[in-house]
Amino acid sequence: DARVTQTPRHKVTEMGQEVTMRCQPILGHNTVFWYRQTMMQGLELLAYFRNRAPLDDSGMPKDRFSAEMPDATLATLKIQPSEPRDSAVYFCASGLAGTSGGPRKTQYFGPGTRLLVL
Amino acid sequence: QKEVEQNSGPLSVPEGAIASLNCTYSDRGSQSFFWYRQYSGKSPELIMFIYSNGDKEDGRFTAQLNKASQYVSLLIRDSQPSDSATYLCAVYSGGGADGLTFGKGTHLIIQP
């Protein structure tokens, strides 16, 4: 049963601390997306990778957030320093690249990391 | 700016009735459309996708697409309390990018 995995599932930290979230995409998927979800904003795209290359990080606050994909099985999202307004659920999703649409564009979500910054 | 609009709800439907969820999108060139269900505290999970005009049925779920009106809907027949969740509409616009644009979701409550 192929699934996207994320760690940690929950994180409570104090303002100013570094937070690192990890994601393992589904084997064979070559696109990875990081989303942040809040009640007010819904799902916001933070960053996305295709074949490990960052293609869009326009939704990410550059001064404190960074996203990397050191290899095909690991994507990371870091916040340094963290702030209370970063409290949210962070989802990673994976999918397939290419110009064809239809079901190939389905994104599969991980369970999320619930972050609380005090 | 690509936009996907949904009524946030809550939409309250009696058990056994048909729940109708609607979504409009701004990019006329959009190619594929997805419905995700998200239970409280859980991640979004795919219910259905549709990319041709008309209806597509899968069990109790029917997705309807009208590209001329830039409108996609999801019908849930014989609604069950377990259908209570937030339903997210997502749109793929093509153009070489891979991402989906998500609506903010409609909160559906099925009343026993």
Side-chain angles (χ1 to χ4, degrees), chain A residues 40-52:
Chain A
M40 293 298 296
Q41 299 298 325
L43 270 173
E44 300 175 274
L45 179 65
L46 297 176
Y48 118 74
F49 295 79
R50 182 197 293 168
N51 296 322
R52 295 176 54 202

Side-chain angles (χ1 to χ4, degrees), chain A residues 9-77:
Chain A
R9 295 290 303 276
H10 302 272
K11 178 73 175 179
V12 180
T13 191
E14 292 187 346
M15 183 174 61
Q17 296 299 303
E18 177 178 304
V19 176
T20 298
M21 291 170 268
R22 294 178 174 81
C23 167
Q24 181 172 7
I26 291 172
L27 187 64
H29 282 187
N30 55 1
T31 57
V32 172
F33 303 83
W34 282 105
Y35 292 94
R36 175 171 62 186
Q37 188 176 44
T38 61
M39 288 292 292
M40 293 298 296
Q41 299 298 325
L43 270 173
E44 300 175 274
L45 179 65
L46 297 176
Y48 118 74
F49 295 79
R50 182 197 293 168
N51 296 322
R52 295 176 54 202
L55 289 194
D56 184 0
D57 62 1
S58 58
M60 199 164 67
K62 303 288 192 306
D63 56 339
R64 299 184 300 108
F65 285 60
S66 62
E68 295 181 345
M69 200 161 176
D71 63 58
T73 64
L74 177 64
T76 63
L77 179 67

Side-chain angles (χ1 to χ4, degrees), chain B residues 6-7 18 22 33 41 43 50 52 65 70 82 84-85 89-90 105 110-111:
Chain B
Q6 296 180 256
N7 188 322
I18 296 175
N22 304 317
F33 308 86
S43 58
I50 186 170
S52 298
L65 175 61
Q70 295 176 238
S82 60
S84 299
C89 173
I110 306 300
Q111 295 179 324

Side-chain angles (χ1 to χ4, degrees), chain B:
Chain B
Q1 180 79 4
K2 299 169 188 172
E3 294 183 349
V4 177
E5 300 288 342
Q6 296 180 256
N7 188 322
S8 62
L11 174 65
S12 186
V13 174
E15 183 176 357
I18 296 175
S20 177
L21 304 163
N22 304 317
C23 171
T24 59
Y25 57 94
S26 62
D27 186 352
R28 186 168 288 278
S30 296
Q31 299 181 8
S32 309
F33 308 86
F34 301 81
W35 284 100
Y36 284 80
R37 177 176 62 199
Q38 186 175 22
Y39 291 116
S40 180
K42 302 295 185 181
S43 58
E45 57 177 335
L46 180 73
I47 298 176
M48 292 187 69
F49 64 86
I50 186 170
Y51 48 89
S52 298
N53 273 329
D55 295 0
K56 179 181 178 183
E57 188 174 316
D58 184 359
R60 296 187 296 113
F61 298 95
T62 299
Q64 299 176 318
L65 175 61
N66 184 326
K67 288 187 178 181
S69 300
Q70 295 176 238
Y71 175 91
V72 58
S73 64
L74 179 70
L75 302 179
I76 308 174
R77 290 183 301 282
D78 188 23
S79 298
Q80 303 296 310
S82 60
D83 295 325
S84 299
T86 296
Y87 289 80
L88 303 171
C89 173
V91 175
Y92 172 65
S93 297
D98 300 299
L100 302 179
T101 303
F102 283 84
K104 291 188 177 181
T106 297
H107 182 42
L108 175 66
I109 299 172
I110 306 300
Q111 295 179 324

